Amino acid sequence: MSHVQNTQPQGQAPGVSEGTLPAEGVRSMFDRIAPVYDAMNRLMTAGLDRRWRRATVDAVVRRGDRVLDACCGTGDLAIAAAEAGGDVTGIDFSRPMLERARRKAPELQWLEGDALALPLADGSFDAATVGFGVRNLADLEGGLRELRRVLRPGGRVAILEITRPQGLLAPFYRFWFDGVIPVAGKVLPGGAAYSYLPASVRRFPDPHGLAKLMDEAGFGDIRWRLFAGGIVALHTAEAR
């Protein structure tokens, strides 16, 4: 009989180091890191995540729009969309994350639900946003199709996500995301999440690859721009 050695670090869920987790594993991870999620975002991005979220909203949200913020987390992107005049619904499947979102903006609609099976009617939104969320979906293509389903024809989508930079910033990126962030995570609740983060970016499509998947999901006029030397990409598109 052959024996297979389990090389997964003790206390770390299978798939963390590969950047792949089943849906329940992702939910559990975000439940644990909810208390430090905002602080870690500020640390990891040197505070630039606020600027990127504003750019995301500016790209697709118009005053009076019905806006869906999927994988809304603690609500920062949804709140930015509301400040731009959107009628916003935020949805996430992590209850502790949603509790923090509700405390920030109790006047908005917050739903507990799965981005792969949105409990929302077809064509019910004018715009949809996702900030640092699609990378965590167990079925990326299915998640993109769900976003298309709930948008009206001509509705706009913006997807903000970490990507892999090329050129001069690539060594810094590897040092920061593969070295500093996982070490910092070891002293924080749910520290395994900060080993999962760089691994999940490595296996995520590059901007061209994500654009192709968006096209296959029913989006057109797909464009993207890069921030921070290519570390973050903002894709925008219209529902065909």
Side-chain angles (χ1 to χ4, degrees), residues 173-188:
Y173 168 89
R174 288 192 294 270
F175 168 74
W176 187 251
F177 278 90
D178 294 339
V180 174
I181 295 303
V183 169
K186 288 180 179 179
V187 301
L188 296 169

Side-chain angles (χ1 to χ4, degrees), residues 13-65:
V16 166
S17 59
E18 291 80 25
T20 58
L21 285 174
E24 188 53 45
V26 173
R27 187 204 313 262
S28 176
M29 179 182 69
F30 279 101
D31 287 353
R32 292 194 302 273
I33 67 172
V36 298
Y37 181 79
D38 288 340
M40 283 301 291
N41 273 345
R42 304 293 101 79
L43 172 64
M44 288 189 295
T45 68
L48 291 172
D49 59 300
R50 294 187 177 104
R51 182 182 302 174
W52 301 334
R53 287 186 174 91
R54 286 195 297 270
T56 302
V57 168
D58 290 345
V60 297
V61 175
R62 310 291 180 263
R63 185 165 295 278
D65 277 353

Side-chain angles (χ1 to χ4, degrees), residues 101-150:
R102 287 192 182 102
R103 286 201 292 268
K104 291 178 182 178
E107 71 280 7
L108 300 187
Q109 182 178 22
W110 304 104
L111 299 178
E112 185 176 347
D114 188 347
L116 297 179
L118 293 168
L120 302 162
D122 294 3
S124 52
F125 291 91
D126 302 299
T129 58
V130 191
F132 307 116
V134 295
R135 190 186 70 258
N136 302 309
L137 297 179
D139 178 5
L140 174 57
E141 293 89 339
L144 293 173
R145 289 193 297 270
E146 274 293 273
L147 289 173
R148 170 61 190 90
R149 180 184 66 78
V150 301

